[in-house]
Amino acid sequence: MTPIDTLDTPALVEQLAQVLQDKGWMMATAESCTGGLIAGACTDLSGSSHWFERGFVTYSNEAKAELLGVDPALIAAHGAVSEPVARAMAEGAVARSRAQVAVAVTGVAGPTGGSAEKPVGTVWFGWSVGGQPHTERQRFDGGRAEVRAATVHHALRTLLQLLRQLP
């Protein structure tokens, strides 16, 4: 089997689909900065309805609260681009779907919107895999398209790694 780090996004999706189907699990996405690109990458694969349950595009803070149940006080305290919000988004995607697995992303894709604390390219990831939350911060270089593409790839690659670590 090809190492995960050498796979392109469509190959990652194919392997992710196989692992999820082997487990009988469904997947959901909760996306802000990628605007549905992760869900799009997943549903590009024919037969994805067997393992992809739904995607939430929650670009605004209101959408994060309404669709995923993210507490507005959490967003007010930490900002939308933060570890607590990414975690809450992933947990909310599982809670508000029939999925056992979710990936969430919230970040600053640019070219505007960055700050000294959260520069352009900053992305917080949240994964919920079988009830276990995982979070991570990354900073990607490049323009908006490159940041979003790198975010999609990292989200899927890490989800596949997390699933492969399960018994």
Side-chain angles (χ1 to χ4, degrees), residues 15-81:
Q15 289 197 18
L16 182 60
Q18 189 61 57
V19 171
L20 288 168
Q21 288 179 93
D22 289 349
K23 290 188 171 302
W25 283 3
M26 299 293 284
M27 173 185 169
T29 60
E31 302 180 65
S32 186
C33 61
T34 49
L37 293 174
I38 298 170
C42 290
T43 58
D44 275 347
L45 182 63
S46 180
S48 57
S49 61
H50 296 290
W51 56 273
F52 186 85
E53 209 274 327
R54 70 183 72 182
F56 298 91
V57 177
T58 56
Y59 209 72
S60 71
N61 292 342
E62 292 79 12
K64 289 172 183 65
E66 291 170 17
L67 296 177
L68 298 171
V70 177
D71 186 345
L74 199 65
I75 297 171
H78 302 280
V81 180

Side-chain angles (χ1 to χ4, degrees), residues 125 140-141 144-157:
F125 295 83
F140 300 113
D141 292 325
R144 186 174 183 83
E146 290 85 7
V147 168
R148 288 165 44 118
T151 299
V152 170
H153 190 79
H154 184 77
L156 294 171
R157 183 181 70 225

